[in-house]
Amino acid sequence: MRWLPAFVSALVASTTGVLAVKKSTEERFASFHTKALASSAVKLSDASFRELTAAPRDYSVAVLLNALDSRYGCQMCREFQPEWDLLAKSWTKGDKKAESRLIFATLDFSDGRDVFMSFGLQTAPVVFYYPPTTGPHAAKSRDPIRYDFVNGFQSAEQMHAWIARNTPNRPSPPVQRPINYLKWIVTTTILLGGGTSAFVAWPYVLPVLQNRNVWAAVSLISILVFTSGQMFNHIRKVPYVGVDQRGGLTYFAAGFQNQFGMETQFVAAMYGVLAFSAMCLAIKVPRIADPKVQNVAVFAWAGILFFMYSFLLSIFRVKNAGYPFALPPFM
Amino acid sequence: MSADLLQAVADVGKGKGTRSLLRVVILCLIAGAAIASRLFSVIRFESIIHEFDPWFNFRATKYLVANGFYNFWDWFDDRTWHPLGRVTGGTLYPGLMVTSGVIYHALRALNIPVDIRNICVLLAPAFSGLTAFASYLLTNEMTTTPSAGLLAAIFMGIAPGYISRSVAGSYDNEAIAIFLLVFTFYLWIKALKQGSMLWGAMCALFYGYMVASWGGYAFITCLLPLHSFVLICMGRYSTRLYVAYTTWYALGTLASMQIPFVGFLPVKTSEHMPALGIFGFLQLLGFLDYVRSAIPGRQFQTFLWLFAGGIFGVGLGGLVLATSLGFIAPWSGRFYSLWDTGYAKIHIPIIASVSEHQPTAWPAFFFDLNMLIWLFPAGVYLCFQQLADEHVFIVVYALFGSYFAGVMVRLMLTLTPVVCVAAAMAMSSLFDTYLVAKAPKPEDHVADEASEGAAKKAAKTGLKSTSRPVVGVYSYFAKGTIVSGLTLYLLLFVLHCTWVTSNAYSSPSVVLASKMPDGSQHIIDDYREAYQWLRQNTADDAKIMSWWDYGYQIGGMADRPTLVDNNTWNNTHIATVGKAMSSREEVSYPIMRQHEVDYVLVVFGGLLGYSGDDINKFLWMVRIAEGIWPDEVKERDFFTPRGEYRVDGEASEAMKNSLMYKMSYYNYNMLFPPGQAQDRVRGVRLPEVGPTLSTLDEAFTSENWIIRIFKVKDLDRFGRDHGQAMAFERGIKKKAPRKKGPRTLRVD
């Protein structure tokens, strides 16, 4: 009786195989296209993925392999999914007669482990484009073209450009983003509310706007922010703190061209203290009428200045190993 | 007798004439220090042009001197961008070359025979002396303290942020442009303060010179309108502002349009629109001001101001509309990437690839400005004390300068002048407070405490910290401490500047210096060795293909035509070279044949550990090529499946088969015992069998292997593929006989 399971499995395999072959490429396209018209991108499973991408096909398939489940902690998967759906929807809607013969599909990791395994995928999301193997647009190679998200998040428009490049001489309906009514309403409300409150609060706001101290503070803080490398953090998206080999936290990045977020704030604070003590020495101290208080103030600010500058130099020596200058006490 | 002498010494500097004399002497010494500290490279190496762009400027200057001005103006250069050529006369900023040409001819007229190269090498230090003088003038407009200007001059003279672009041999546009920048600002402040048309016209004249010299003139074009706009918003519109601005704008725009490279840009592109908009707005304000003086009435005034604001809004809307309809060109990529900082990486990799366009990390600020960086905010704060029109300028300049310097490393250059001016103001106000011999008497000021309330009320509009009257410093010991501390910081600053200049900014990068184990200096001169080889061993019109970084040097030193160079005007052409470098030989060979390439030059640092080589730049070539041929060149293929960029045995197939990889490592393992070949830049061991080349022959490799030159083979005599021909030479038989035919070029 050992042949029975084997026979059954062979039978099942042959029937599914026969079914897949029997269903002509035309029928398969029609059925998936109706599905696509109903929703945005067709949700696939292992089996339907195999069916859709089976070898003789006169249509193309663009399939997104994604891992939406929060267990995988894939931020970009969740960000890209709505973009993909939007692209699929506007393409399918814009090409109702299906002249481009392109099916958009999505396969999530939880529905299609085997497919992920067979591709040996380590990362998600990945987009595969299956060119047609027969028909007027047949490509030379039947292998899918792979799109990795090496440059980070891509918008629907950027994805559209990639797909349109792979489907030349076919209609490529542009991405149509739906009008975000909520956003418009919120913006209008905020604008009107802001205008009204500005009008009402104008007598109180005006003195603040005309206050020199406020402007001085704003200017100095922005200068400190810019000169302490905050724009570098913004552009390079550096981490706030680093981790060293033993798993501990490091606050100062090694190397002249690197920095951490916290490091720059620290540097900005040091610059601020130095500038403030210089300002106090230049402006405040000579205005103190009491000689004793003035004396104390002079030495206090001079001490802070010296101490801080010495510390700054020692920090700089961490960044630039060959730097020869130092002041006591941080030699 | 001795008392008389002491008296005489004490009197020095008190008379007005003596002071002026001292001032002149000090300024001359400052100029001397500025020039001297820029001569490290000449003393250490020789009088040589540095880096990349200066080589083009030098070549253009030689052309100007040899062929005269009009030929220079109409120069079409067929030895670059082969086969396209470049309309050089119409696509460069001629200010620098014309300046050195004029100096050259002036010296000739005085019967001083100076080599044009020496003029070019020493132009930047000479102008740095002038820059120091210009910042002296600018600072003197800001404050009444006489020492501030001198401090600003010496700061400007030796601050590494400026030295980085103006050492001897760094013959670049910035060499004269920073002087022009500071001097134009000085003239603008002068014109604004006096409301003088003469100063305004002078400002326009120097602005025109600036436009002729450096693309960074847009900084002035945007800063002056911004300053005016801030003044208007503060309610400080005046006829002085009107006269100064309109004179500068009308004449300056006309002057700038004389440069062929600029042409009609001032009326067509977005970065010039603020200047035009403020010009129109000032006309409107001038008219309203006139009407207001004629018709009294408070409500009418309110109406007028609303009217002005409305017109401003409508004008702004019109500008946006005209831009979106395409009448006005939108911000060019380079400017736009300053605002939208992520833009360049996605859309213009060629801009993002340049190292000086990277954002600035904080150590760079401290490295370039040392203690000035923390005196700078203090100086800006001092500007808020009086906040006259010129102080507003410093504040606006400081804010925008520091933003731009944070976004792009090279714009540290435009920040440095304002840092020097502000820091000098702070420093001089410290010295003025603590370097006074006279001490106040405590009893004089006890009474003041009582009247403090009144003083506070009076100073309500000013800064909180300056509400009380100045008393002075009582203790001599306190004065001594502060002054000696400041002197220490200043001396440290001088040491820092000298150390930075000597260690970081004085390398010509054409010639590399290294230390031998015994401490003696060893000069690595591979670049010039290779360029000299090209000059002497190749035909005069042999086309050299290399990555664009070396285009200017090949043109300048080897005098051979190149495919692409540092004037990156044609992205497609650069991408073509990138594609040839990053593709398989079968793909690259037709590209090279079609572009008539005779030699290919690569820079390889693996033997010496020279990190600025082509393999490290390779990904940019791939990216730029991918931008044009996304289907043929893919960045992903050059990484291992695990996403690493490797060159050893694990390297990806695309990497191993790329022309660049093959050229770099061709025959490299012959230098080592079998299996020991090592790349000292990437720090990896290379596979035992090195790459083979079938379409190129190794022609030259420099002493330390930094430069490798390959000759492109001619088509095979028997009509075979080069791959087949090589296989035949190695003794591998052809598998299938092929039909013989004429020599053809296979294009994939």
Side-chain angles (χ1 to χ4, degrees), chain A residues 11-24:
Chain A
L11 191 72
V12 170
S14 66
T15 39
T16 45
V18 165
L19 274 180
V21 172
K22 260 191 180 168
K23 247 189 182 179
S24 80

Side-chain angles (χ1 to χ4, degrees), chain A residues 212 236 286-287 289 294 323, chain B residues 358 385 468 471-472 474 496:
Chain A
R212 221 181 260 190
R236 290 285 167 81
R287 288 184 165 82
Q294 191 191 52
Y323 190 67
Chain B
Q358 306 304 318
Q385 265 189 321
R468 282 192 275 180
V471 179
Y474 296 104
H496 172 94

Side-chain angles (χ1 to χ4, degrees), chain A:
Chain A
M1 287 293 142
R2 285 170 73 195
W3 50 271
L4 191 62
F7 173 75
V8 170
S9 65
L11 191 72
V12 170
S14 66
T15 39
T16 45
V18 165
L19 274 180
V21 172
K22 260 191 180 168
K23 247 189 182 179
S24 80
T25 158
E26 200 57 47
E27 284 164 8
R28 275 187 292 158
F29 179 75
S31 77
F32 278 104
H33 187 65
T34 11
K35 275 188 205 167
L37 273 177
S39 66
S40 47
V42 185
K43 280 239 172 230
L44 295 181
S45 63
D46 269 331
S48 54
F49 177 83
R50 297 248 152 72
E51 188 193 341
L52 181 60
T53 58
R57 56 177 184 267
D58 67 339
Y59 54 91
S60 353
V61 180
V63 54
L64 166 72
L65 302 183
N66 216 346
L68 279 181
D69 202 317
S70 55
R71 267 179 300 164
Y72 313 119
C74 174
Q75 179 68 26
M76 198 157 66
C77 303
R78 268 166 276 161
E79 278 174 12
F80 184 66
Q81 186 67 48
E83 293 288 307
W84 179 254
D85 289 339
L86 175 70
L87 171 63
K89 195 171 185 175
S90 38
W91 190 298
T92 320
K93 290 267 146 59
D95 183 28
K96 280 227 171 73
K97 289 182 204 156
E99 282 162 358
S100 66
R101 296 194 71 74
L102 174 64
I103 301 258
F104 282 90
T106 312
L107 176 65
D108 197 75
F109 181 68
S110 45
D111 304 330
R113 267 164 214 275
D114 294 350
V115 175
F116 273 73
M117 297 289 181
S118 66
F119 281 117
L121 286 182
Q122 302 281 337
T123 55
V126 175
V127 174
F128 280 101
Y129 169 77
Y130 285 82
T133 54
T134 57
H137 302 301
K140 277 181 213 160
S141 148
R142 56 176 51 188
D143 295 333
I145 302 169
R146 177 174 170 166
Y147 186 89
D148 283 288
F149 288 72
V150 277
N151 292 324
F153 173 77
Q154 304 286 307
S155 69
E157 282 81 4
Q158 283 162 316
M159 202 62 227
H160 176 269
W162 183 75
I163 290 179
R165 215 164 56 225
N166 284 311
T167 55
N169 308 323
R170 281 182 262 177
S172 55
V175 177
Q176 275 172 349
R177 289 185 184 273
I179 300 170
N180 192 344
Y181 289 106
L182 191 68
K183 197 177 153 194
W184 277 100
I185 293 168
V186 168
T187 322
T188 324
T189 319
I190 287 177
L191 273 183
L192 288 176
T196 317
S197 52
F199 189 76
V200 173
W202 187 243
Y204 310 100
V205 173
L206 193 63
V208 177
L209 279 184
Q210 287 177 336
N211 191 328
R212 221 181 260 190
N213 293 306
V214 172
W215 284 102
V218 169
S219 311
L220 292 198
I221 289 171
S222 358
I223 287 175
L224 285 176
V225 163
F226 292 142
T227 53
S228 61
Q230 202 62 47
M231 292 313 294
F232 185 95
N233 296 351
H234 175 73
I235 294 169
R236 290 285 167 81
K237 304 197 170 46
V238 298
Y240 191 63
V241 286
V243 180
D244 63 6
Q245 285 95 1
R246 279 171 295 166
L249 289 179
T250 48
Y251 301 108
F252 288 90
F256 197 67
Q257 302 288 344
N258 285 319
Q259 59 182 20
F260 293 135
M262 190 167 170
E263 182 182 347
T264 56
Q265 291 171 359
F266 200 63
V267 168
M270 278 197 286
Y271 287 167
V273 169
L274 285 164
F276 190 70
S277 42
M279 279 180 320
C280 284
L281 282 173
I283 300 171
K284 282 215 163 140
V285 166
R287 288 184 165 82
I288 298 174
D290 187 349
K292 269 186 194 154
V293 176
Q294 191 191 52
N295 228 0
V296 171
V298 167
F299 287 107
W301 286 122
I304 290 174
L305 188 69
F306 191 78
F307 193 77
M308 226 2 140
Y309 193 28
S310 159
F311 190 54
L312 179 62
L313 284 174
S314 77
I315 297 282
F316 186 67
R317 277 204 310 284
V318 174
K319 307 291 287 185
N320 189 345
Y323 190 67
F325 305 115
L327 284 175
F330 297 100
M331 292 298 277

Side-chain angles (χ1 to χ4, degrees), chain B residues 350-385:
Chain B
I350 199 147
I351 289 183
S353 78
V354 180
S355 66
E356 59 190 22
H357 293 164
Q358 306 304 318
T360 319
W362 80 264
F365 278 102
F366 189 78
F367 193 68
D368 276 355
L369 297 164
N370 192 253
M371 69 162 185
L372 303 186
I373 196 69
W374 54 263
L375 274 175
F376 173 45
V380 173
Y381 185 75
L382 284 180
C383 286
F384 276 96
Q385 265 189 321

Side-chain angles (χ1 to χ4, degrees), chain B residues 522-684:
Chain B
H522 177 67
I523 299 282
I524 297 161
D525 209 355
D526 282 39
Y527 279 100
R528 288 197 294 177
E529 185 194 344
Y531 294 139
Q532 195 64 21
W533 182 89
L534 277 179
R535 193 183 262 269
Q536 289 176 348
N537 295 287
T538 61
D540 188 46
D541 59 347
K543 282 87 188 167
I544 318 287
M545 180 172 94
S546 71
W547 189 233
W548 61 265
D549 295 21
Y550 313 105
Y552 277 164
Q553 287 185 347
I554 296 171
M557 282 191 261
D559 191 25
R560 292 289 173 272
T562 51
L563 259 68
V564 290
D565 64 26
N566 311 42
N567 177 266
T568 49
W569 67 274
N570 189 327
N571 192 27
T572 315
H573 213 53
I574 291 180
T576 309
V577 173
K579 185 184 172 191
M581 294 286 193
S582 51
S583 305
R584 287 173 297 121
E585 272 187 86
E586 297 82 61
V587 180
S588 306
Y589 185 69
I591 297 177
M592 294 192 286
R593 292 293 299 186
Q594 283 162 346
H595 290 82
E596 300 178 317
V597 175
D598 294 301
Y599 293 91
V600 188
L601 182 148
V602 289
V603 173
F604 172 66
L607 182 64
L608 212 62
Y610 172 61
S611 61
D613 68 350
D614 277 347
I615 293 284
N616 277 0
K617 292 174 188 170
F618 190 40
L619 278 183
W620 286 109
M621 306 183 200
V622 174
R623 271 174 214 156
I624 290 167
E626 188 181 8
I628 304 287
W629 292 280
D631 297 326
E632 296 173 61
V633 184
K634 292 193 187 87
E635 188 181 348
R636 186 70 188 78
D637 296 346
F638 290 84
F639 289 100
T640 58
R642 294 177 58 195
E644 295 163 311
Y645 180 65
R646 300 181 75 147
V647 294
D648 54 5
E650 308 278 299
S652 70
E653 279 308 303
M655 182 76 193
K656 277 183 181 166
N657 289 322
S658 69
L659 194 67
M660 174 56 74
Y661 180 89
K662 284 185 168 182
M663 285 193 293
S664 290
Y665 294 107
Y666 183 66
N667 275 348
Y668 182 58
N669 48 0
M670 311 271 266
L671 280 181
F672 298 87
Q676 303 281 310
Q678 209 175 16
D679 183 322
R680 293 194 178 120
V681 175
R682 268 68 57 178
V684 290

